[in-house]
Amino acid sequence: MPKTTGDTALAARVPPGPRGNVVFGSIGDIYRDRLRFVLETARTYGDVAQYRVAHTRVYQVNHPEGVGRLLHDNHRNYSKDVPTFGTLRMFLGNGLFTSDGEFWRRQRRLAQPAFHRRRVATFGDLMTGATREMLDRWQPRAERGQPLEVATEFMRLTMEVVTLALFSTSVERDVETIGRAITTLLNDVTFRFTFPFYPPLRVPTPRNRRFLAARATLDGIVYRIIAERRRRPAEHDDLLAMLMEARDEQTGEGMSDKQLRDEVITLFLAGHETTANALTWASYLLSTHVEPARRLRAEVDETLRGRVPTAADMPNLSYTRMVIDETLRLYPPAWVTNRRAIEDDTVCGYRIPADATVSISPYVTHRDPTLWDNPEGFDPERFAPERSAGRPHYAYFPFGGGPRQCIGKGFALMESTLVLALLAQRYELHLVPGRRVEAEAMATLRPRHGMWMTAHPR
Ligand code: HEM
């Protein structure tokens, strides 16, 4: 058990951790296998551990109480001023995901109404429409028994959903271009996470030129739509319209074009890859666990009786939702997040010095055997209310927590539930034998070799 958080700094101890290489610290172990490194560090050193990545000392906080202190109780002491968010800023600018302090607080207040539950429910038809088109597209391959790479399929789907939710019909002709540009930027950011010493954007390497071209394409489309909307407001009913209408309570001011651009591109990015990964891992887990897959199909058949689900069906698709919760436990797409401590703090009885990089990983805490029975097992019903009672609050945090909890949580859970339900109505997915499945922990947790599956019509 940890000591109570918030102990006086005097009593606090220095956290233990691996020594690593004299010069590089733990870089070698991290590059070899990130997930294994963070899991082993937690299992070996406990609630809070520390290690070095070259000249940076990282404090890895594993215990739910410590996670709660960082994300909630003392969240003002932890900023996003760390290199990972710096890399993302090249792409996202200063949007909700990457900003901090008063600026972030104002943006969050402005954006929050767009993600109100009733508002999100209006996107249900858009989500099911796009999903049904995808499932129709699968039909010829399903009939011939040809494999599909479902990670890419889900990525395309969630990209289309978030694009339409943001811009409704204004972008129909641009969806493919937007998708290509975002993919280029995302792959590039992932590369820069791995190679942080790659030359900065002002150096005209082929990679940097590609990045700048993709960013310019995306900016061009986004600014064009904002300008059109400024000329003819109130013709749309989408997320962009909500963001453009939002006014600061105190000053009455709305967002500038640049600010709208940053929020829109943030929502593109934050809103699709994570959800696509969740759907991919859910499909994998269901294909390898016969009984949960059978129960899911039974719930869908009984609740929907063949009709297309809507937002109103959500409460009756509780097993489907548990499958998603359990998928996000085992494979949380946002598997790690970092912060910088502004002042000294004490977390679980350990001292975190000012300026330290602090890291929390739902992947680690979600697999802690002191918090979860059979942590490696796929058991959706552990999320049934009677089995969830008494679980520490931050034992489970796939969407983060505190004031910076994912603003798109309701959107993502509704989308995943509707997609899984429609999928289960129509097909059974089977893994293609001989294809390797391995989690790759980059910016998100995704399957390194894709996810090859065959769709079997029901
Ligand atoms: C399964 C899908 C998703 C997962 C697992 C996920 C996870 C997360 C997590 C863990 C955070 C907090 C990061 C941190 O504290 O450093 C976050 C923040 C955020 N997410 Fe999500 N997310 C998902 C889907 C979405 C969707 C669909 C949207 C928008 C349509 C979205 C928009 C955002 C935004 C804007 C933030 C920043 C919020 C802020 O700091 O105020 N996410 N997400």
Side-chain angles (χ1 to χ4, degrees):
M1 275 302 287
K3 278 173 124 190
T4 323
T5 45
D7 286 351
T8 60
L10 279 177
R13 292 163 292 159
V14 174
R19 292 172 69 90
N21 175 282
V22 186
V23 180
F24 301 111
S26 297
I27 284 185
D29 293 326
I30 294 171
Y31 274 47
R32 254 189 301 285
D33 190 339
R34 276 164 213 253
L35 292 176
R36 187 168 163 183
F37 176 78
V38 289
L39 273 184
E40 280 183 0
T41 300
R43 299 301 163 258
T44 312
Y45 300 103
D47 299 337
V48 182
Q50 59 154 321
Y51 51 86
R52 212 163 37 77
V53 182
H55 56 278
T56 307
R57 195 159 283 286
V58 178
Y59 292 75
Q60 183 182 314
V61 175
N62 305 307
H63 194 278
E65 207 175 295
V67 173
R69 179 149 180 94
L70 261 60
L71 291 181
H72 186 269
D73 304 348
N74 198 21
H75 69 91
R76 282 176 193 266
N77 190 48
Y78 293 94
S79 84
K80 288 200 166 184
D81 179 19
V82 285
T84 35
F85 289 105
T87 306
L88 281 170
R89 256 174 231 124
M90 293 172 13
F91 170 12
L92 305 178
N94 211 19
L96 270 180
F97 198 72
T98 43
S99 58
D100 255 326
E102 261 321 303
F103 185 83
W104 164 79
R105 239 180 298 285
R106 173 179 178 268
Q107 287 305 117
R108 178 88 189 203
R109 266 200 314 272
L110 289 175
Q112 195 68 55
F115 290 90
H116 189 279
R117 186 208 294 260
R118 275 202 302 278
R119 181 74 216 152
V120 168
T122 64
F123 295 125
D125 290 350
L126 179 164
M127 292 169 178
T128 51
T131 309
R132 292 170 74 200
E133 275 175 27
M134 175 186 79
L135 299 177
D136 286 345
R137 224 174 36 237
W138 288 6
Q139 188 72 27
R141 282 177 165 255
E143 280 165 6
R144 288 198 295 271
Q146 282 175 345
L148 296 150
E149 204 282 282
V150 298
T152 308
E153 292 289 319
F154 289 136
M155 203 76 94
R156 189 168 152 189
L157 171 67
T158 55
M159 169 80 74
E160 189 175 339
V161 166
V162 78
T163 309
L164 294 176
L166 271 164
F167 292 144
S168 47
T169 51
S170 327
V171 283
E172 263 161 3
R173 63 198 155 105
D174 300 313
V175 171
E176 294 281 325
T177 316
I178 294 174
R180 269 197 307 277
I182 292 258
T183 308
T184 304
L185 294 170
L186 196 58
N187 287 342
D188 192 85
V189 165
T190 303
F191 170 86
R192 284 171 210 265
F193 280 154
T194 317
F195 299 101
F197 303 112
Y198 190 78
L201 283 179
R202 60 177 182 278
V203 183
T205 64
R207 169 173 290 278
N208 284 346
R209 276 206 290 265
R210 260 199 320 276
F211 180 96
L212 290 172
R215 196 173 69 180
T217 303
L218 203 56
D219 285 358
I221 296 173
V222 173
Y223 280 127
R224 188 196 76 218
I225 295 170
I226 293 173
E228 282 166 12
R229 298 276 180 104
R230 291 245 191 252
R231 278 197 300 277
R232 277 194 304 278
E235 272 180 18
H236 295 88
D237 187 23
D238 48 29
L239 287 176
L240 177 62
M242 293 281 291
L243 295 178
M244 291 185 76
E245 280 160 23
R247 291 286 173 273
D248 189 295
E249 275 172 15
Q250 276 135 36
T251 63
E253 268 178 40
M255 295 188 206
S256 66
D257 285 5
K258 166 73 168 76
Q259 202 49 47
L260 283 166
R261 176 265 177 218
D262 289 354
E263 296 305 356
V264 160
I265 296 194
T266 295
L267 293 174
F268 265 140
L269 179 79
H272 86 285
E273 202 195 336
T274 40
T275 314
N277 285 335
L279 288 166
T280 303
W281 291 118
S283 303
Y284 165 68
L285 288 165
L286 287 167
S287 78
T288 49
H289 295 82
V290 175
E291 185 49 26
R294 192 198 58 73
R295 280 209 52 188
L296 174 83
R297 281 195 298 276
E299 176 179 88
V300 166
D301 290 350
E302 200 171 299
T303 308
L304 303 175
R305 303 196 178 279
R307 68 180 168 76
V308 176
T310 68
D313 290 308
M314 299 294 286
N316 300 321
L317 292 169
S318 55
Y319 189 78
T320 312
R321 169 64 193 272
M322 286 190 259
V323 166
I324 292 158
D325 290 342
E326 177 69 336
T327 301
L328 293 175
R329 183 184 69 82
L330 281 169
Y331 293 99
W335 69 280
V336 70
T337 188
N338 294 343
R339 298 285 194 270
R340 188 176 65 79
I342 297 169
E343 290 177 2
D344 286 1
D345 193 15
T346 303
V347 175
C348 301
Y350 291 103
R351 179 170 175 268
I352 307 285
D355 244 9
T357 299
V358 189
S359 179
I360 54 175
S361 167
Y363 185 87
V364 169
T365 307
H366 291 181
R367 290 175 186 244
D368 183 337
T370 64
L371 300 167
W372 304 89
D373 283 341
N374 184 15
E376 300 292 319
F378 178 60
D379 174 13
E381 272 175 280
R382 67 169 92 234
F383 284 97
E386 59 282 9
R387 283 181 60 193
S388 304
R391 187 174 293 143
H393 191 54
Y394 283 99
Y396 184 68
F397 57 105
F399 293 99
R404 302 216 60 156
Q405 167 162 273
C406 177
I407 202 171
K409 179 180 171 187
F411 188 105
L413 288 173
M414 183 166 103
E415 184 176 4
S416 318
T417 309
L418 294 175
V419 175
L420 267 200
L422 277 167
L423 181 52
Q425 255 178 349
R426 186 113 173 235
Y427 299 111
E428 257 183 56
L429 291 180
H430 295 176
L431 270 180
V432 174
R435 291 272 185 179
R436 282 168 65 199
V437 176
E438 201 184 323
E440 180 180 42
M442 300 303 283
T444 57
L445 194 61
R446 56 190 194 188
R448 188 189 298 275
H449 314 288
M451 192 68 73
W452 287 91
M453 305 188 96
T454 41
H456 301 263
R458 289 188 59 205

